[in-house]
């Protein structure tokens, strides 16, 4: 089916679904998908602000396939038009080809090559860390107990990954002349730097924690802003940081520990701006039970089982809602979000054939 996959991927890449700026409507790529899925019951829903979902069902499948259609913005480092698919002897190159329109093309090709029951949920808000499409779907009666979320995993089933949390910190100080004796304690930037040093030490202390092949706590201070000039005590400072916990971490406890490292008198604001749970969701015992259930699902569907990964996916949202969830798609995460992003032709072929086989089996392979 590789020729059919590349035909669909050429079309999908040509639609501009860069996010931001999130100018994604109910037409365009969604009109194309609707036209390629005759015999499916199709619902297209606009959730606002560029978040659009397409839910397509044929028959009464037990397994739902989910894939996002939005991409990151393209960079000036691209050597060709990012919206024009280029195919070499071994690669398909284009914006979103790896993350993750390649999987979407495989789903369509597999559906057209089989008459079995199938269900697809396409969304357009994953790259914005918004998740309106999936949240809306999970609020409705849907009847699914199993879901395969497509992300670049080289065609292997990923059963566990880290969660994610993004935070805005704001410190307050007292402006004044930098020659003052109180400059050390009055500067909001100094408070931010002290917090940063303590936070890094705390994270290093979590290096012994483990779950399903993952080790430690991932942490990054991504942006620090504040101050006026070198001889003025900084009256304010803002820090944006993020961390990626293990399934065995308690995110609320981590927030309490990290927020508690700041001087109470200097901390003006601590706000979590985004949270995504780990996969599997739940406490340690629940997570391990769900990981084993996902392994059984991968075996039943015929997906080889890969290692746990450090990146976050929306599979954790399905898991938190009680579905048996795993991550599996063509492409390598090392190529995602890069200039001249590519996916191997062999992985596209193998993934499309695996999905075709599942659909031909009436998608009733769940345990």
């Amino acid at each position: 089916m590789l020729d059919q996959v590349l035909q669909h991927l050429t079309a999908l890449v040509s639609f501009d679904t860069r996010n931001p700026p999130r100018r994604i409507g109910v037409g365009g790529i969604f009109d194309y998908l609707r036209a390629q899925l005759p015999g499916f019951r199709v619902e297209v829903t606009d959730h606002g602000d560029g978040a659009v979902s397409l839910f397509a069902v044929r028959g009464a499948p037990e397994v739902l396939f989910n894939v996002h259609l939005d991409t990151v913005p393209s960079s000036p480092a691209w050597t060709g038009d990012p919206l024009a698919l280029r195919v070499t002897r071994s690669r398909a190159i284009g914006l979103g080809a790896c993350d993750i329109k390649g999987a979407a093309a495989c789903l369509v090709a597999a559906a057209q090559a089989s008459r079995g029951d199938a269900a697809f949920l396409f969304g357009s808000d994953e790259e914005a860390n918004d998740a309106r499409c999936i949240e809306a779907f999970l609020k409705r009666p849907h009847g699914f107990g199993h879901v395969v979320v497509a992300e670049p995993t080289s065609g292997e089933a990923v059963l566990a990954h880290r969660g994610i949390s993004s935070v805005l910190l704001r410190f307050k100080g007292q402006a004044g002349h930098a020659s003052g004796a109180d400059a050390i304690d009055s500067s909001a930037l100094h408070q931010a730097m002290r917090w940063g040093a303590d936070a890094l030490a705390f994270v290093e202390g979590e290096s012994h924690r483990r779950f399903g092949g993952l080790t430690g706590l991932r942490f990054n201070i991504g942006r620090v802003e504040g101050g006026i000039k070198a001889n003025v005590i900084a009256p304010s400072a803002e820090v944006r940081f993020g961390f990626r916990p293990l399934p065995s971490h308690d995110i609320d406890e981590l927030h309490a520990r990290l927020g508690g490292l700041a001087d109470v008198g200097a901390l003006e604001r601590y706000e979590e701006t985004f949270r995504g749970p780990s996969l599997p969701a739940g406490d340690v015992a629940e997570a391990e039970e769900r990981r084993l259930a996902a392994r059984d699902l991968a075996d039943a569907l015929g997906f080889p089982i890969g290692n746990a990964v450090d990146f976050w996916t929306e599979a954790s949202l399905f898991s938190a809602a009680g579905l048996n969830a795993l991550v599996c798609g063509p492409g390598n995460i090392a190529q995602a979000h890069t200039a001249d992003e590519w996916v191997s032709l062999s992985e596209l072929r193998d993934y499309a054939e695996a999905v075709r086989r599942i659909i031909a089996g009436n998608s009733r392979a769940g345990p």
Side-chain angles (χ1 to χ4, degrees):
M1 292 185 294
L2 183 58
D3 287 345
Q4 288 71 32
V5 171
L6 292 176
Q7 176 182 333
H8 294 308
L9 186 55
T10 298
L12 295 176
V13 167
S14 72
F15 291 103
D16 187 351
T17 55
R18 284 174 280 200
N19 189 0
R22 299 187 67 171
R23 298 193 186 104
I24 304 169
V26 297
I29 196 168
F30 293 100
D31 282 344
Y32 177 82
L33 289 171
R34 182 194 292 272
Q36 303 308 312
L37 297 172
F40 279 75
R41 305 186 305 276
V42 177
E43 300 176 19
V44 177
T45 306
D46 187 346
H47 305 282
D49 200 19
V52 179
S53 64
L54 185 151
F55 178 47
V57 182
R58 182 173 65 192
E62 294 182 352
V63 178
L64 172 71
F65 285 88
N66 167 249
V67 59
H68 69 87
L69 301 169
D70 55 329
T71 73
V72 295
S74 55
S75 76
W78 278 79
T79 60
D81 183 351
L83 302 183
L85 190 73
R86 289 174 281 159
V87 180
T88 69
R89 292 182 61 184
S90 61
R91 300 177 179 180
I93 305 165
L95 184 60
C98 174
D99 187 14
I100 182 76
K101 289 181 176 181
C106 290
L107 296 183
V108 174
Q112 293 177 341
S114 171
R115 296 181 179 180
D117 297 353
F120 307 138
L121 176 64
F122 300 95
S124 68
D125 57 6
E126 194 270 352
E127 297 295 357
N129 286 341
D130 194 340
R132 298 186 193 189
C133 295
I134 289 177
E135 288 175 355
F137 176 81
L138 292 172
K139 289 178 181 177
R140 62 180 286 175
H142 55 75
F144 291 97
H146 312 287
V147 61
V148 175
V149 175
E151 290 288 359
T153 66
S154 298
E156 297 179 332
V158 168
L159 313 181
H161 66 60
R162 296 179 182 274
I164 186 172
S165 182
S166 301
V167 180
L168 166 64
L169 267 182
R170 195 163 286 157
F171 294 88
K172 59 183 177 181
Q174 184 65 48
H177 198 284
S179 63
D182 61 345
I184 291 293
D185 295 320
S186 296
S187 170
L189 275 174
H190 293 177
Q191 293 291 344
M193 291 181 178
R194 290 192 185 98
W195 173 86
D198 291 342
L200 290 170
F202 167 72
V203 171
E204 289 174 358
E206 292 292 294
S207 61
H208 67 285
R209 299 284 292 267
R210 287 172 171 77
F211 182 92
L214 301 173
T215 304
L217 176 65
R218 296 289 187 266
F219 176 85
N220 182 60
I221 299 175
R223 188 178 182 89
V224 179
E225 292 181 287
I228 300 171
K229 56 185 299 190
N231 62 351
V232 178
I233 298 172
S236 63
E238 186 174 284
V239 177
R240 291 185 179 270
F241 75 94
F243 61 86
R244 295 173 183 257
L246 300 170
S248 54
H249 273 122
D250 184 313
I251 294 184
D252 290 326
E253 180 180 332
L254 289 174
H255 279 301
R257 295 289 300 276
L258 289 166
L261 297 175
D263 186 299
V264 176
L267 183 59
E268 185 175 59
R269 184 178 181 184
Y270 185 105
E271 177 188 354
E272 184 182 38
T273 57
F274 178 77
R275 175 184 295 200
S278 302
L279 179 73
D283 59 27
V284 177
E286 291 172 329
E288 180 59 17
E289 183 179 345
R290 289 175 174 176
R291 187 183 71 84
L292 294 176
R295 184 183 67 183
D296 291 341
L297 176 63
D299 288 340
L301 296 177
F303 289 132
I305 296 175
N307 296 323
V309 297
D310 289 314
F311 59 86
W312 183 80
T313 80
E314 292 181 323
S316 61
L317 302 178
F318 290 100
S319 178
L323 278 76
N324 188 11
L326 61 82
V327 187
C328 186
N332 191 302
I333 195 63
Q335 304 305 324
H337 300 186
T338 63
D340 291 341
E341 172 186 350
W342 59 271
V343 60
S344 75
L345 301 186
S346 61
E347 289 189 12
L348 289 174
R349 180 196 63 225
D350 292 346
Y351 191 75
E353 177 55 34
V355 176
R356 186 207 62 78
R357 186 183 66 248
I358 293 168
I359 294 176
N362 219 28
S363 295
R364 299 185 184 280

